[in-house]
Amino acid sequence: MSQIQPAWLPRPDITDGLHINYRRIPILAIGRDVYCDSRAILDALEQRYGKSSFKLNDPAKHGIRKLFESHCMHGGTFWHAASLLPMWEKPFLQDPKFLDDRSKLLGRPFDREAVMQARPEGLAHMRMAYELMETTFLADGRRWILGNDEGPSLVDIDAVYPLQWIVRDQLMQGGTPEEFISAKRFPKTFAWIDRFLAAVGDAQSRAPETTKLSGEEAVSKILGAAETVFEGYVDADDPLGLRVNDTARVKATDYASTHSDSGKLLRLTVDQVCILNDKNLRLHFPRWNFSIQKVKEVSDEMTKYSDPQKMRLIYHPMSPNSRKVYMFAIELGLDQNIALDTVVVAPIPYPGWSDNNEEVSKFNPVAKIPALVPAAHGDGIYDSRTITDFLLEISATRPSESADNKQRWRLKTLHALADAMLDAFVLIVYENKIRAENGIKFDVWIAGQTEKINRSLSQFEMEAERGTLRTLGAQEIATAADVAVAAALGFSDIMKHEWRTGRPKLVEWFSGWERRDAFVRTRPEVDWKSGEASVDAFAAKVVAGK
């Protein structure tokens, strides 16, 4: 049975239905075992159904297979082949959604210009790959790489894919100039490719017809599969020092590294890892080009800070920085551990606006919100960025962060920019209210703050286009920076500041947040705990400019 998934995200059948964040396709489900990455899939199929020509009982031949697997499919050969995509030929390859998805997948721009720039080196390297096959492994005229005659082995499967892709796949037609790579120049390699494709075609003709499933049917069959006994095992001398039933996080390190899956560790060997996710599915990954990290346990000292109702957030629902903090708590699953204490504060004494200044100053000397008060020590933690750092420190879960150090620092910078943008909004509110009523409103000051806001929004648009701000899966945990930008855009709407015109990428990114639980539950017009409608007179006056 098979189910065709979209060529690019979102893939809700996988993320929402199965709670699998793994970014790539294909995946293979056998019962409740889900194999992620083609290497894990091939190994599983070979172990269960492999015919005699697939069996590599000779350790040396198995080693050759592993080298081809790494070099051709998960090394440079595949990426050089991808640089030969005929971007000018196929409308599919020019679709903005496809280009945006691949940019986010790779963590760098992927467009016609980038591919064309890499094209000459790609051709040179693919010609080297063909030369290697022609003059070494196939030089003696053998039918298959290992010299057997009965049919292709796993070595041929791993070796052939990028080579046949650029010359025989319909998608790649027109992408490989014959003056560099052709049957005339590499006759033995082309004959091997065609022999392999003929073997595949013959096998397909003899195979039973595949049943096509809808996404809903596929999810139902996988989740409805019978439970089976699975014996846990972890190498005792594994360098990571993990144990069976530890909570572990697995993610790719070569690309698509912003997506990770977490679960109970079931198996960890030299070359494989298996975890149990919250849908009771066993997710299998190879270890090569994947990282496995133990999810941080909350220390005893930090646990007393995060006991239910042992933290108090001094806040106001109209405060965007308060919203940012509580949204992040929701993302981390800490919101049930935080009691909410509503206050109003202002930089100067002002009836109705500064009523709680003195009380708040006991926890934050400058009487600003939000302030978080862990009952264990009674001291306030402030400002909002420090609070998000604290919440991350005590949380047993972690956001889906990029492995790229530059990307992480870019996100931290956007967090600071979102805070600065919110500061500009707050200053405009004070100018229009407190200073205006005292006859000292300064319109040029408001114009200057507005310009800061607009420049910030344009920067966010650029970062959404770059992929710094990326669409999150339903089971992924947002970073503090993601939350900060979402809170800033939400406050822009509350203040009726038009920002969508001319910023399509940011609009697309924010549309995901408008449906996200942490955002929906923290709107100013609802109670953040119960979700019921809640009218706040102070908030209504601020929005109305009163």
Side-chain angles (χ1 to χ4, degrees), residues 9 11 28 59 174 194 332 385 500 528 544-545:
L9 297 183
R11 298 186 183 115
L28 171 72
D194 291 337
L332 296 175
R385 250 182 293 174
R500 287 173 170 78
W528 290 3

Coordinates of all heavy atoms in Angstrom, one line a residue, residues 9 11 28 59 174 194 332 385 500 528 544-545:
L9 N 6.2 21.0 2.1 CA 5.4 21.2 3.3 C 4.2 22.1 3.0 O 4.3 23.0 2.1 CB 6.3 21.7 4.4 CG 7.4 20.8 4.9 CD1 8.1 21.4 6.0 CD2 6.9 19.4 5.2
R11 N 2.8 18.8 5.4 CA 2.4 17.4 5.2 C 1.6 17.0 6.5 O 2.2 16.2 7.4 CB 3.6 16.5 5.0 CG 4.3 16.8 3.7 CD 5.4 15.8 3.4 NE 6.2 16.2 2.2 CZ 7.5 16.5 2.2 NH1 8.1 16.5 3.4 NH2 8.1 16.9 1.1
L28 N 8.6 4.8 5.6 CA 8.0 3.5 5.4 C 7.4 3.0 6.8 O 8.1 3.0 7.8 CB 9.1 2.5 5.0 CG 8.6 1.0 5.0 CD1 7.6 0.7 3.8 CD2 9.9 0.1 4.8
P59 N 31.6 -9.6 4.7 CA 31.8 -8.3 5.3 C 32.4 -7.2 4.4 O 32.1 -6.0 4.5 CB 32.7 -8.6 6.5 CG 32.5 -10.1 6.8 CD 32.2 -10.7 5.4
G174 N 17.3 17.5 -20.2 CA 17.8 18.8 -20.6 C 18.8 19.5 -19.6 O 19.3 20.5 -19.9
D194 N 21.1 1.4 -17.6 CA 19.9 0.9 -18.3 C 19.6 -0.5 -17.9 O 18.4 -0.9 -17.9 CB 20.2 1.0 -19.8 CG 20.2 2.4 -20.3 OD1 19.6 3.3 -19.7 OD2 20.8 2.7 -21.4
L332 N 6.4 25.5 25.7 CA 7.2 24.6 26.5 C 6.4 23.7 27.4 O 7.0 22.8 28.1 CB 8.2 25.4 27.4 CG 9.3 26.2 26.6 CD1 10.1 27.1 27.5 CD2 10.2 25.3 25.7
R385 N 12.9 39.0 28.0 CA 13.9 38.1 27.4 C 14.6 37.2 28.4 O 14.9 36.0 28.2 CB 15.0 38.9 26.6 CG 14.8 38.7 25.1 CD 15.9 39.4 24.3 NE 15.8 40.8 24.5 CZ 16.7 41.7 24.0 NH1 17.8 41.3 23.4 NH2 16.5 43.0 24.1
R500 N 0.6 44.3 6.4 CA 0.6 43.2 5.5 C 0.9 43.6 4.0 O 1.5 42.8 3.3 CB -0.8 42.5 5.5 CG -1.0 41.7 6.8 CD -2.4 41.2 6.9 NE -2.6 40.3 8.0 CZ -2.7 40.6 9.3 NH1 -2.6 41.8 9.7 NH2 -2.8 39.6 10.2
W528 N -6.6 34.0 29.8 CA -5.5 33.2 29.3 C -5.5 31.8 30.0 O -4.9 30.9 29.4 CB -4.2 33.8 29.6 CG -3.9 35.0 28.7 CD1 -4.7 35.6 27.8 CD2 -2.7 35.8 28.7 NE1 -4.2 36.6 27.2 CE2 -2.9 36.8 27.7 CE3 -1.5 35.8 29.4 CZ2 -2.0 37.8 27.4 CZ3 -0.6 36.8 29.1 CH2 -0.8 37.8 28.1
A544 N -8.7 52.1 21.9 CA -9.5 53.2 21.4 C -8.7 54.5 21.5 O -9.2 55.5 21.1 CB -10.8 53.3 22.2
G545 N -7.5 54.5 22.0 CA -6.7 55.7 22.1 C -7.2 56.6 23.3 O -7.0 57.8 23.3

